[in-house]
Amino acid sequence: TQVLRKGLQRGVVLSAGSFLVYEAHKLISGFAEVHASFKVEDVIEQADYLYGSGETEKLYRLLVQHKNSDDAELLWRLARSSRDLAQLGSTSAEEKKQLTYDSLEYAKKALEINESNFAAHKWYGICLSDVGDYEGIKTKIGNAIIIKEHFQRAIELNPKDATTIHLIGIWCYSFAEMPWYQRKIAATLFATPPTSTFQEALRYFHMAEEADPNFYSKNLLFLGRTYLKLNNKKMALLWLSKAKEYPAQTEEDKQV
């Protein structure tokens, strides 16, 4: 009886010990998961700071370490960062091409992970358009509807995002000024080729400005250019002057 009692007591002790080990494991695992999520948040916070500071190369070096991540927020930022690095004057032609294709892959992966991420749609559309520059005018025009669909989906998910509204304006502007030979290519690719007008483009550029005033030098530039296309020189001068006075922070601002 004493042996049985000791055995039972020992069993209880072992069971309690096993339970405590199990609970400790759960606690540590939970902490690891929370710690991992905090790490992702920390990287995103640091990335957004570097982006706001115009630190293109540092931002890319930070994010490219996470290219195998399964976090859509990290991946679309990496797509944007890769594209921004490709735009730098110091980037060689070969590196620029590689970065352009890489950025499309990162944006595509972000979309596969989270189809409801508006920024993933936006950057997928942008990067797909960039890749078209290497694959010829037929491919670029052929992708046009897909690109616009992703921009429209991004606006559905985030109606206040001024950049995406601006991008649809650029899409409209491009088709409004499309030369005749490109229209012929479009006619061979689509039963009903996509078309647009400068008035439609202007409407989107103004909508973008209303959503976030003075948010982007290129939106100011295209407001001016579109008014020129519409022969309104007074309004063109107003917006081109704003574009000229815009404080240049990025390579694109300098080009504008």
Side-chain angles (χ1 to χ4, degrees):
T1 304
Q2 287 178 341
V3 171
L4 180 60
R5 190 181 296 117
K6 284 180 180 179
L8 287 170
Q9 287 172 345
R10 189 175 173 222
V12 170
V13 171
L14 284 173
S15 297
S18 300
F19 174 76
L20 289 171
V21 169
Y22 173 69
E23 287 300 309
H25 172 72
K26 281 207 307 183
L27 185 64
I28 291 165
S29 298
F31 175 77
E33 287 173 15
V34 171
H35 184 63
S37 70
F38 273 123
K39 276 184 70 177
V40 170
E41 290 170 8
D42 289 346
V43 172
I44 288 172
E45 186 178 351
Q46 190 178 353
D48 289 347
Y49 173 79
L50 290 171
Y51 181 76
S53 304
E55 296 280 2
T56 304
E57 293 177 12
K58 285 183 183 177
L59 175 58
Y60 176 78
R61 286 198 298 271
L62 169 70
L63 290 174
V64 77
Q65 299 174 68
H66 305 279
K67 64 182 181 180
N68 296 319
S69 171
D70 58 358
D71 190 289
E73 290 291 329
L74 277 176
L75 289 167
W76 75 252
R77 283 172 170 82
L78 177 54
R80 178 182 67 183
S81 172
S82 302
R83 183 181 186 271
D84 286 348
L85 187 60
Q87 303 294 316
L88 292 182
S90 57
T91 304
S92 70
E94 188 178 342
E95 289 173 321
K96 180 174 181 175
K97 183 176 181 179
Q98 185 61 55
L99 286 164
T100 300
Y101 278 88
D102 286 348
S103 64
L104 179 61
E105 285 304 308
Y106 300 140
K108 182 181 177 182
K109 188 178 174 186
L111 262 185
E112 288 169 354
I113 291 167
N114 186 359
E115 192 279 335
S116 297
N117 188 303
F118 89 93
H121 281 281
K122 174 169 74 174
W123 287 100
Y124 182 80
I126 293 169
C127 297
L128 185 60
S129 178
D130 289 345
V131 164
D133 294 336
Y134 291 99
E135 300 193 348
I137 192 65
K138 189 172 182 179
T139 299
K140 196 168 179 72
I141 293 172
N143 286 335
I145 297 220
I146 299 169
I147 290 165
K148 189 178 183 184
E149 284 172 352
H150 281 284
F151 290 158
Q152 288 174 326
R153 178 66 176 140
I155 290 176
E156 284 173 15
L157 293 165
N158 185 1
K160 297 293 184 182
D161 185 59
T163 310
T164 312
I165 300 169
H166 162 84
L167 289 167
I168 294 189
I170 293 286
W171 191 97
C172 294
Y173 186 98
S174 299
F175 274 91
E177 73 164 1
M178 182 177 279
W180 66 270
Y181 68 91
Q182 291 185 10
R183 291 186 190 280
K184 288 192 75 173
I185 294 171
T188 65
L189 295 173
F190 303 102
T192 306
T195 59
S196 191
T197 63
F198 290 117
Q199 287 87 349
E200 188 178 13
L202 187 69
R203 182 168 63 86
Y204 279 108
F205 294 140
H206 273 298
M207 282 170 60
E209 207 60 31
E210 287 165 15
D212 190 1
N214 212 41
F215 75 105
Y216 188 27
S217 60
K218 202 169 181 181
N219 198 62
L220 303 174
L221 173 66
F222 269 86
L223 276 161
R225 288 179 66 177
T226 309
Y227 272 117
L228 274 178
K229 292 286 186 181
L230 295 169
N231 295 314
N232 188 333
K233 292 183 180 179
K234 183 179 178 182
M235 290 301 292
L237 179 62
L238 170 69
W239 290 104
L240 291 174
S241 297
K242 289 185 178 185
K244 183 175 181 292
E245 293 158 9
Y246 193 91
Q249 293 181 325
T250 67
E251 190 74 17
E252 191 173 45
D253 291 336
K254 292 170 188 173
Q255 291 169 6
V256 164

